[in-house]
Amino acid sequence: MSVSPLRVLSVIPPMTQLNTPYPSTAYLTGFLRQQGITAAQEDLAIALVLRLFSRTGLEEIRSVAQRLPVKQRSAATAFFLEHFAAYAATIDPVIAFLQGRDSTLAFRICGRMLLPEGARFNALNEYLVEEDEDPLGWAFGSLGLQDRARHLATLYLNDLADVLREAVDERFEFVRYAESIAQSAASFDPLAAALAAPLNLIDQTLHSLTLQALARHAPQVVLISTPFPGSVYGAFRIAQTIKAHDPAITVVLGGGYVNTELRELSEARVFDYFDFITLDDGERPTLALFDHLAGQRSQERLVRTFLRSEGRVRYVNFPELDVPFNEVGTPTWDGLPIDQYLSVLDMLNPMHRLWSDGRWNKLTVAHGCYWKKCSFCDVSLDYISRYEAANASTLVDRIEAIIAETGQSGFHFVDEAAPPKALRAMAEELLRRNLAITWWGNIRFEKSFTPELCELLAQSGCIAISGGLEVASDRLLKLMKKGVSVEQVARVTHAFSEAGILVHAYLMYGFPTQTVQDTVDALEYVRQLFAAGCIQSGFFHRFSCTVHSPVGQHPEDYGIRLIPRPKGTFANNDIAFIDPSGVDHALLGRALSKAIYNFMHGIGLEQDVRNWFEECRVPRPQVARHFITRALQEG
């Protein structure tokens, strides 16, 4: 092993999450340090939020908002300016409260006399029947002071985010900043135009934070990880700042967005911002690149790397084995401000809140997916297709090391689908070591999850799981090669629930050949699963056909016709298609979203599901009214 003398900085760009750092830099930094490389990391996403949502940040936002003509100010902006003194006095204490540093503020927040209450609070007041009725009593009861306060503080932040969108940048979101610019963007032109525009307040703040990070670490190489389309604009702005500050710094782009959307990249302008772009797992390409920068490897021996040569984009992939999952080492959060993340509570459902509430150490049980057959999934890509598991001893060693470093014992296993065999081994090892952790993760609802295994997982610290029920139709589940049936899902989810483990179901609508009848029946299955206590949370996603999935590669097998995409030079992922069923899935989707939101709060579970489809007439469900109950009895 050759040790690189390079100083490396890995960066998380805005926006990802408020409550915990995205794990890509933690993984890579831990691996690089294991190789003897000087590696640091920064989360510029949380840094940007903390800078904007501070007293100084609000003063800067006010300055911008005051320049808007009075007639152009929205109600949210006008309310902000009118109550600015209250916002300025409360923003720093509220942030400290959401960081867990000032719990006593909950008493004042819950008194509803401290925080200015803008439009986001209107929904609370709609619950009031009598003047003295508690609008949150149904959710929190007479206790739950901290949760109640966190929910109110989250509404307060959302009010401020509305002002930021209206006065500074309409693209701002806490987790999907400027997402539309990068999502399946065949042309680089929209992103190039955005990057050429004058810097707004958010851009200026990110520019300043980037320069501060460079001053702290003096890196020779900066690795920028972009997991989602909503982090791409921020990543390019960071790279733009670095190149203007010191063109000698090598800037590298990688991450989930690159791995799915930029595999056919031919846009040379991208390399005005980045020197190299790497695909798939970063360990091997990064080591090869460092050897190249140190003069120990030719350009022709780079691994899964795009670069610009003589004005054209080249892809170089010298065949070299990836670093085995057992050998990637332990992620490190050293350098990330783990005490500064914000636990927000925008969804009152006890399962749904886990994605935004609490700081979780993110870890994987295995690399890839052991099933890798689902027809809607990117099964041809490395992050799905290459399955490798670490043994239980190694995995729990990593867990212990992370607890020792962070002082926090909550874990979110971010596998595509954690294998039941590996989870059993991990649970047994945790219990053998008498190690108390709290964990949750993603699985397939397969029959291996017996009541006995669910009890074992609960004893090891499992509090919640999520998994794909998708279309909740046996015909369509078979078509998408999901490998489960609705009855099986009912029994598995019931076993988890009986063990005291919360269950979230990923749901899908708009799959090829899905009819209105299929959609109504799916919602009836979901209603019954909620009513039977099998699942506590769910979310309906609109099916998206991607170029890397079996549906995108063999559309004729699914009864659809792809709409040819214009030849692009930048991103390529989602593909439009024509489904001969002619169903208006967007119309149905609004009803599904409304229904699932109510189901999660225990509302409407005894109603005829047709009542949710207010905008259109739909047929009667063909599912027996007590289908799920009978499935559980027969199981």
Side-chain angles (χ1 to χ4, degrees), residues 10-12 21-29 41 225-227 255:
S10 295
V11 171
I12 303 171
Y22 193 77
S24 55
T25 65
Y27 269 92
L28 198 51
T29 302
Q41 57 186 329
S225 175
T226 53

Side-chain angles (χ1 to χ4, degrees), residues 413-470:
F413 293 107
V414 292
D415 301 69
E416 296 301 315
K421 183 178 179 180
L423 289 179
R424 176 185 290 275
M426 180 190 75
E428 291 172 345
E429 183 68 10
L430 287 168
L431 293 170
R432 188 187 69 79
R433 299 191 193 187
N434 198 27
L435 183 60
I437 71 169
T438 303
W439 65 270
W440 59 295
N442 197 48
I443 63 160
R444 291 181 63 249
F445 292 129
E446 64 164 74
K447 60 184 179 183
S448 299
F449 288 104
T450 62
E452 177 270 331
L453 177 54
C454 293
E455 287 286 349
L456 176 68
L457 299 182
Q459 291 169 17
S460 75
C462 180
I463 60 166
I465 57 96
S466 56
L469 173 55
E470 316 308 351

Side-chain angles (χ1 to χ4, degrees), residues 377-442:
C377 191
D378 294 336
V379 296
S380 62
L381 298 185
D382 179 80
Y383 81 99
I384 297 290
S385 64
R386 182 166 60 86
Y387 174 70
E388 294 181 62
N391 62 60
S393 179
T394 298
L395 181 59
V396 178
D397 284 347
R398 292 174 181 173
I399 289 172
E400 288 191 314
I402 291 169
I403 294 173
E405 179 185 88
T406 66
Q408 297 174 327
S409 60
F411 286 82
H412 178 198
F413 293 107
V414 292
D415 301 69
E416 296 301 315
K421 183 178 179 180
L423 289 179
R424 176 185 290 275
M426 180 190 75
E428 291 172 345
E429 183 68 10
L430 287 168
L431 293 170
R432 188 187 69 79
R433 299 191 193 187
N434 198 27
L435 183 60
I437 71 169
T438 303
W439 65 270
W440 59 295
N442 197 48

Side-chain angles (χ1 to χ4, degrees), residues 296-313:
Q296 299 172 0
R297 178 186 287 244
S298 71
Q299 191 177 91
E300 303 303 318
R301 295 183 68 242
L302 292 173
V303 178
R304 296 195 303 272
T305 300
F306 286 104
L307 53 90
R308 182 167 59 185
S309 177
E310 299 179 354
R312 298 174 65 87
V313 178

Side-chain angles (χ1 to χ4, degrees), residues 115 155 165 211 216 233 291 346 375 381 403 431 484 608:
L115 304 183
L155 296 176
R165 270 188 292 276
L211 292 179
R216 277 192 295 273
Y233 175 76
D291 283 346
D346 48 7
S375 58
L381 298 185
I403 294 173
L431 293 170
V484 299
D608 187 323

Side-chain angles (χ1 to χ4, degrees), residues 1 91 97 159 195 212 244 258 285 300 331 334 385 423 490 512 567 635:
M1 178 185 71
I91 184 62
F97 168 72
D159 271 334
L195 294 168
Q212 291 170 26
V258 174
E300 303 303 318
D334 179 46
S385 64
L423 289 179
K567 180 61 177 175

Side-chain angles (χ1 to χ4, degrees), residues 92-107 109 145-151 153 343:
D92 290 339
V94 166
I95 292 297
F97 168 72
L98 291 174
Q99 290 172 330
R101 296 188 291 111
D102 190 2
S103 62
T104 56
L105 192 69
F107 292 95
I109 293 175
L145 178 78
Q146 294 294 319
D147 282 352
R148 185 191 296 247
R150 203 150 53 242
H151 180 59
S343 282

Side-chain angles (χ1 to χ4, degrees), residues 8-12 22-43 217 221 223 225 282-283 286-287 290 328-336 405:
V8 180
L9 174 63
S10 295
V11 171
I12 303 171
Y22 193 77
S24 55
T25 65
Y27 269 92
L28 198 51
T29 302
F31 172 76
L32 293 177
R33 289 182 181 180
Q34 179 181 285
Q35 307 302 308
I37 296 170
T38 303
Q41 57 186 329
E42 290 266 355
D43 186 345
H217 302 287
V221 180
L223 310 175
S225 175
E283 289 86 0
T286 301
L287 291 182
F290 292 170
V328 296
T330 301
T332 179
W333 278 263
D334 179 46
L336 298 178
E405 179 185 88

